């Protein structure tokens, strides 16, 4: 564990090489791009000078960002403007996309991902990234692009699966291929639905469920059928969604499905008499089909790519939906019981939290990353922290937390505006206070 602030190189290499949302994207370190430069058209001395200027500009871009993804993105945009023919262009574009997704800036990902797609039009990982970004946009142009990209992705995935089946060489099991392709169908169905094309949405949801059935897709089928006015078909889908066996159910979601099912059943039968028998019958029919799949572990929050869609678990076992923190400037402190510097940072975070305790626009959350939870409650009692605590539930992977302690600040738009790994006790309180006040001021300015 470090006791001082990490250098810019320590920040960029873990993110660019291994940022989890782009897990297999794997761009090279920026300095490594020099080896891929095109042959110089000018004399060697001029080319060497140009390479040196570019590398110096990149070094300055990361150094001056000081851990703020928003500033880094602007710095890299300025680099591309200054060096439009740079041999590092593709690498810089990938880096912008990586940091933009980490900073929850989907419009930036969509913009620069489109530029990358012109270079590598059949890159499935890039297409997946673009779909994640476009799914967070709410306009018809984005949905039209997303339908095109998801159609390309379906074709690529099916070709890869068929090739793997023919050769017997694959990193994925048949079930993993099915889950992957079903997810693309469901995502495309959502874009069709939001575009108003319910027939195509229903067709894609049905393909998704047939390929890899889930409770969520069954519910989405019910929603689409209800929009088309087919209440009997909708009730049947809701029945399946409600009884669908799940090792880690979302209780709030299950209650909403129960409400939909009950409402339609009563409308058809004037009471809920007989509904219980239907539930048991449907469960008995589904369980043999899904028993093998459900015997494996399903990670919490699997498939969620927006931090504020995560549902964490408080220390008392109750759910903590992060959606309730939208619109606030939020501090997340990631720690573990075995991490010595985490104890120190936790106490310092307490000091800053006390300064902002009366500000309704700020929130602090202490997130534990221990795999073995047996000592967590005793640790918290011993430390006496008052900042609300919860288990990270996979959020540390989404945000590429690779060292502890790690502290992240989100602005009120849900973007990461500051990140620090390790703790410098001499400057921590004042630095965190400064960055919080900056985030609050910028948030107010952006609404005016």
């Amino acid at each position: 564990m470090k006791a001082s602030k990490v250098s810019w190189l320590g920040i960029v290499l873990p993110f660019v090489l291994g940022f989890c949302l782009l897990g297999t994207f794997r761009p090279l370190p920026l300095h490594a791009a020099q080896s891929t430069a095109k042959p110089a058209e000018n004399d060697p001395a001029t080319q060497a000078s140009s390479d040196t200027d570019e590398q110096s500009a990149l070094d300055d871009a990361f150094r001056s960002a000081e851990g703020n993804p928003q500033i880094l993105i602007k710095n890299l945009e300025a680099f591309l403007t200054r060096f439009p023919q740079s041999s590092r262009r593709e690498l810089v574009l990938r880096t912008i996309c990586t940091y933009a997704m980490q900073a929850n800036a989907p419009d930036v990902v969509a913009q620069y991902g489109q530029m990358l797609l012109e270079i590598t039009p059949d890159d499935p990982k890039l297409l997946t990234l673009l779909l994640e970004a476009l799914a967070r946009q709410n306009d018809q142009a984005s949905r039209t692009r997303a339908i095109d990209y998801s159609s390309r992705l379906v074709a690529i995935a099916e070709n890869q699966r068929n090739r793997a089946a023919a050769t017997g060489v694959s990193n994925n099991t048949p079930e993993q291929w099915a889950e992957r392709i079903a997810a693309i169908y469901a995502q495309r169905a959502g874009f069709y639905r939001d575009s108003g094309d319910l027939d195509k949405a229903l067709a894609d949801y049905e393909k998704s469920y047939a390929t890899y059935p889930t409770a969520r897709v069954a519910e989405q089928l019910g929603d689409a059928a209800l929009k088309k006015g087919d209440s009997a078909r909708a009730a049947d889908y809701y029945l399946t969604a409600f009884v669908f066996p799940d090792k880690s159910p979302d209780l709030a979601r299950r209650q909403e499905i129960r409400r939909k099912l009950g409402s339609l059943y009563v409308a058809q039968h004037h009471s809920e008499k007989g509904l219980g028998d239907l539930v048991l019958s449907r469960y008995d029919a589904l369980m043999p089909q899904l028993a093998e799949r459900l015997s494996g572990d399903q990670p919490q929050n699997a498939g969620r790519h927006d931090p504020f869609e995560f549902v964490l678990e408080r220390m008392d076992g109750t759910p903590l939906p992060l959606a309730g923190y939208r619109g606030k400037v939020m501090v997340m402190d990631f720690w573990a019981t075995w991490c010595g510097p985490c104890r120190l940072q936790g106490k310092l975070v307490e000091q800053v939290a006390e300064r902002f305790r009366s500000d309704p626009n700020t929130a602090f959350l202490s997130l534990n990353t221990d795999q073995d939870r047996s000592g967590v409650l005793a640790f918290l009692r011993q430390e006496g922290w008052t900042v609300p605590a919860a288990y990270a539930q996979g959020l540390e992977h989404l945000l590429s937390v690779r060292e502890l302690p790690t502290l992240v600040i989100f602005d009120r738009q849900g973007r990461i505006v500051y990140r620090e790994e390790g703790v410098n006790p001499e400057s921590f309180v004042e630095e965190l206070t400064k960055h919080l006040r900056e985030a609050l001021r910028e948030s107010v300015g952006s609404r005016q």
Side-chain angles (χ1 to χ4, degrees):
M1 293 297 118
K2 300 185 294 299
S4 62
K5 189 174 180 180
V6 293
S7 68
W8 71 270
L9 188 61
I11 296 173
V12 64
L13 289 181
F15 289 167
V16 175
L17 288 173
F19 181 50
C20 66
L21 291 181
L22 300 176
T24 51
F25 221 25
R26 303 191 187 286
L28 297 168
L30 291 177
H31 63 269
Q34 295 181 52
S35 62
T36 64
K38 296 178 181 179
E41 296 180 0
N42 301 318
D43 64 85
T46 301
Q47 185 64 34
S49 175
S50 175
D51 282 347
T52 300
D53 289 345
E54 287 187 20
Q55 190 60 51
S56 177
L58 285 173
D59 290 346
D60 289 342
F62 281 97
R63 188 178 297 109
S64 63
E66 295 185 342
N68 187 324
Q70 307 295 335
I71 295 176
L72 177 59
I73 290 168
K74 292 184 183 300
N75 289 350
L76 293 178
E77 289 175 330
F79 173 88
L80 292 176
T81 300
R82 181 180 173 188
F83 301 101
Q85 302 303 318
S86 172
S87 61
R88 300 166 172 83
R89 179 178 175 79
E90 180 180 349
L91 189 61
V92 172
L93 288 172
R94 289 181 183 273
T95 305
I96 290 174
C97 288
T98 298
Y99 275 85
M101 186 59 82
Q102 176 220 346
N104 203 23
D107 53 330
V108 178
V109 178
Q111 176 186 352
Y112 288 95
Q114 175 63 32
M115 295 180 188
L116 272 173
L117 201 62
E118 294 172 2
I119 301 172
T120 56
D122 295 319
D123 183 342
K125 301 170 188 68
L126 177 56
L127 286 166
T128 299
L129 176 69
L130 278 166
L131 286 174
E132 292 171 2
L134 292 169
R136 303 185 198 181
Q137 312 278 46
N138 191 28
D139 59 87
Q140 186 56 41
S142 294
R143 288 189 284 268
T144 300
R145 286 172 61 191
I147 289 170
D148 174 49
Y149 293 163
S150 53
S151 297
R152 287 197 227 176
L153 197 54
V154 165
I156 292 170
E158 289 182 338
N159 287 337
Q160 288 178 334
R161 179 189 60 182
N162 294 340
R163 189 161 56 247
T167 62
V169 178
S170 176
N171 293 326
N172 297 321
T173 66
E175 183 179 43
Q176 288 170 330
W177 277 116
E179 184 177 13
R180 178 180 171 187
I181 292 171
I184 303 170
Y185 277 128
Q187 191 170 30
R188 187 173 68 180
F191 293 124
Y192 277 130
R193 176 202 62 212
D194 294 341
S195 297
D197 195 335
L198 290 178
D199 289 331
K200 288 184 178 178
L202 269 168
D204 266 356
Y205 281 134
E206 287 171 346
K207 289 177 184 176
S208 177
Y209 190 87
T211 303
Y212 190 86
T214 66
R216 182 59 180 150
V217 171
E219 182 187 6
Q220 289 167 328
L221 276 163
D223 291 343
L226 191 60
K227 280 189 175 182
K228 284 186 64 67
D230 193 342
S231 58
R233 189 179 178 190
D236 191 67
Y237 285 133
Y238 289 146
L239 176 63
T240 296
F242 180 68
V243 303
F244 203 96
D246 192 342
K247 292 185 66 175
S248 302
D250 182 336
L251 298 181
R253 185 81 255 139
R254 182 67 60 85
Q255 184 63 24
E256 175 61 14
I257 298 170
R258 168 69 178 87
R259 184 195 65 77
K260 294 175 182 178
L261 172 61
S263 176
L264 288 180
Y265 189 88
V266 169
Q268 294 171 14
H269 302 278
H270 309 294
S271 77
E272 289 194 349
K273 184 178 181 180
L275 180 56
D277 291 337
L278 277 179
V279 167
L280 291 175
S281 176
R282 184 61 54 88
Y283 180 87
D284 289 342
L286 279 174
M287 198 58 191
Q289 304 172 27
L290 303 170
E292 183 177 353
R293 184 218 298 183
L294 295 173
S295 64
D297 291 331
Q298 296 291 325
Q300 182 75 12
N301 293 308
R304 292 174 178 168
H305 303 292
D306 181 347
F308 292 92
E309 290 180 357
F310 271 56
V311 178
L312 307 186
E313 182 182 335
R314 295 185 179 92
M315 294 296 136
D316 62 2
T318 58
L320 176 62
L322 292 189
Y325 291 98
R326 288 188 189 274
K328 295 180 181 290
V329 173
M330 186 172 188
V331 176
M332 293 185 183
D333 177 26
F334 291 88
W335 57 276
T337 56
W338 48 262
C339 165
C342 294
R343 294 175 181 264
L344 173 59
Q345 178 156 303
K347 294 182 185 301
L348 298 175
V349 169
E350 290 279 316
Q351 294 181 32
V352 181
E354 184 61 33
R355 294 183 177 185
F356 290 86
R357 194 169 299 280
S358 62
D359 189 337
N361 297 314
T362 61
F364 290 75
L365 197 57
S366 173
L367 298 177
N368 175 259
T369 63
D370 279 288
Q371 291 186 348
D372 180 1
R373 298 182 177 181
S374 59
V376 174
L377 290 177
F379 175 93
L380 287 172
R381 283 194 294 269
Q382 180 183 9
E383 295 301 312
W385 296 347
T386 60
V387 168
Y391 296 107
Q393 301 292 101
L395 188 59
E396 73 275 25
H397 301 304
L398 179 69
L399 299 181
S400 269
V401 174
R402 305 191 186 283
E403 297 189 43
L404 294 176
T406 288
L407 184 133
V408 175
I409 299 178
F410 289 86
D411 67 8
R412 297 182 71 171
Q413 286 71 50
R415 304 171 302 183
I416 293 176
V417 293
Y418 181 71
R419 177 186 186 107
E420 185 167 15
E421 297 166 317
V423 55
N424 183 343
E426 295 180 358
S427 62
F428 182 88
V429 170
E430 294 308 319
E431 280 290 307
L432 179 53
T433 299
K434 181 188 76 171
H435 287 292
L436 271 171
R437 287 175 177 161
E438 287 175 353
L440 286 166
R441 283 198 302 269
E442 292 173 2
S443 296
V444 170
S446 67
R447 298 195 307 274
Q448 293 176 347

